[in-house]
Amino acid sequence: MARKPVKFCVVDAFTDQVFKGNPAAVCLLEDEKDDEWMQSVATEFNVSETCYLTRIVDSDSQSTTPRFKLRWFTPVTEVKLCGHATLAASYFLFSYGLVNSDKIEFLTLSGILTAKKVPDSKTSNSIDHQNGDVQEEYFVELDFPVVPIAVHNSAKISEISKSLNGASVVEIHETTTEEDLLVVLPSGKAVVEAEPLFDEIKRCPGGGIIITGPAPPESGFDFYSRFFCPKYGINEDPVCGSAHCALAPYWSKKLGKCDFVAYQKIIWTVRNRRGRNQGFYPVTY
């Protein structure tokens, strides 16, 4: 029996320029594939995340919102939550006319996640001069879960500090989903200057290590962060939406606010889409 081809697309998330942002491979499946196959394909792509979409057809449902199963794989393992690959999957479905709706629901290991197409009121639609089509300008708004954190064993501070080449550690928390460590440093400057030792990070407890610190007052940002996850086959993730699911509630409590402009060391952006080398990430908690 002939094998069915799989539709796929590689999307550079958080940028409008090729070879910038954070790449994610998006595969649209006509039927379910086994885990070994999906992991092998993700390893072959060898980008930070490869995601798989399978359309859900429910004849009894009264909802007109399209629904898809969504799973995410790094080059070495499946993960429970990924922001930039969900953004890439949403963009793929919206931009190629694969859904007739401005809202999509994804069934995932982290529950039901939603993506909305939001018109960009600050820019007018552009024209593709090659074929005369009007190119719609829009954002994709994701509704992601809050990831609770708990205080981690303070006896591990010296071990964590060693994995960051001696960086001063203020406190350590642990996320309750992937058991990533959220490590607070004294300042955003310390976050930028941190020198991760990836072999040491692999020996640390938990999954990955999120480091964060308060942004300088003059920067225009609320907090800085970086995410190291060599156990997942990614030394440093340029864009990490799932990390911000833990960062937002932490900084909401610290700063007494619910809207943030967050800066990641390998810069990424939603609003101005300027790419990997500059930008910001707005977070609403």
Side-chain angles (χ1 to χ4, degrees):
M1 184 172 61
R3 295 182 179 181
K4 293 181 180 180
V6 173
K7 294 180 181 179
F8 75 90
C9 183
V10 177
V11 179
D12 289 330
F14 304 105
T15 183
D16 59 1
Q17 301 176 46
V18 295
F19 310 125
K20 292 186 179 292
N22 195 12
V26 183
C27 298
L28 181 61
L29 306 179
E30 293 187 15
D31 46 32
E32 299 284 350
K33 301 289 186 181
D34 62 66
D35 291 4
E36 182 180 358
W37 182 90
M38 287 188 283
Q39 185 60 73
S40 296
V41 172
T43 303
E44 180 78 8
F45 274 118
N46 198 33
V47 293
S48 56
E49 296 288 347
T50 297
C51 66
Y52 300 93
L53 292 164
T54 310
R55 189 183 293 271
I56 299 171
V57 179
D58 186 354
S59 58
D60 296 327
S61 175
Q62 301 300 312
S63 175
T64 59
T65 301
R67 308 181 88 198
F68 293 82
K69 290 183 180 179
L70 176 61
R71 295 175 70 178
W72 310 276
F73 287 76
T74 76
V76 299
T77 189
E78 183 175 12
V79 296
K80 296 179 182 178
L81 186 64
C82 178
H84 88 278
T86 305
L87 179 64
S90 306
Y91 176 80
F92 172 69
L93 295 172
F94 285 137
S95 63
Y96 285 94
L98 297 170
V99 293
N100 186 25
S101 172
D102 289 340
K103 180 180 178 181
I104 306 169
E105 290 184 347
F106 298 109
L107 273 64
T108 77
L109 292 176
S110 292
I112 297 176
L113 308 178
T114 61
K116 294 181 181 179
K117 182 194 289 187
V118 181
D120 184 358
S121 60
K122 296 182 180 180
T123 62
S124 59
N125 291 338
S126 59
I127 297 177
D128 185 339
H129 295 285
Q130 187 171 8
N131 54 31
D133 292 339
V134 176
Q135 303 296 308
E136 182 183 8
E137 297 288 340
Y138 62 89
F139 299 114
V140 175
E141 180 182 284
L142 302 180
D143 185 0
F144 264 41
V146 168
V147 172
I149 58 175
V151 176
H152 192 70
N153 184 358
S154 60
K156 297 291 185 179
I157 285 182
S158 61
E159 181 181 350
I160 302 302
S161 175
K162 180 182 178 182
S163 73
L164 299 172
N165 202 21
S168 177
V169 174
V170 176
E171 54 187 284
I172 303 175
H173 299 265
E174 184 178 52
T175 68
T176 59
T177 52
E178 297 283 357
E179 297 182 344
D180 295 327
L181 299 182
L182 193 157
V183 179
V184 182
L185 304 186
S187 66
K189 183 174 183 289
V191 172
V192 171
E193 294 178 349
E195 299 177 355
L197 304 176
F198 297 114
D199 287 340
E200 293 293 334
I201 290 176
K202 288 179 181 179
R203 299 187 184 98
C204 291
I209 291 182
I210 307 162
I211 63 172
T212 188
E218 70 280 2
S219 69
F221 301 102
D222 292 298
F223 60 86
Y224 288 4
S225 70
R226 295 170 70 183
F227 184 43
F228 312 120
C229 41
K231 293 179 185 177
Y232 305 156
I234 312 160
N235 281 347
E236 181 167 6
D237 195 347
V239 184
C240 192
S242 60
H244 282 81
C245 292
L247 287 163
Y250 172 83
W251 285 109
S252 179
K253 184 177 180 180
K254 284 286 186 180
L255 301 178
K257 59 190 296 188
C258 295
D259 292 291
F260 310 94
V261 180
Y263 173 108
Q264 194 157 344
K265 172 61 170 60
I266 300 180
I267 309 306
W268 53 295
T269 173
V270 170
R271 293 295 186 197
N272 62 6
R273 299 174 299 217
R274 291 179 185 169
R276 182 172 297 170
N277 298 317
Q278 56 184 332
F280 60 87
Y281 178 59
V283 182
T284 299
Y285 169 60

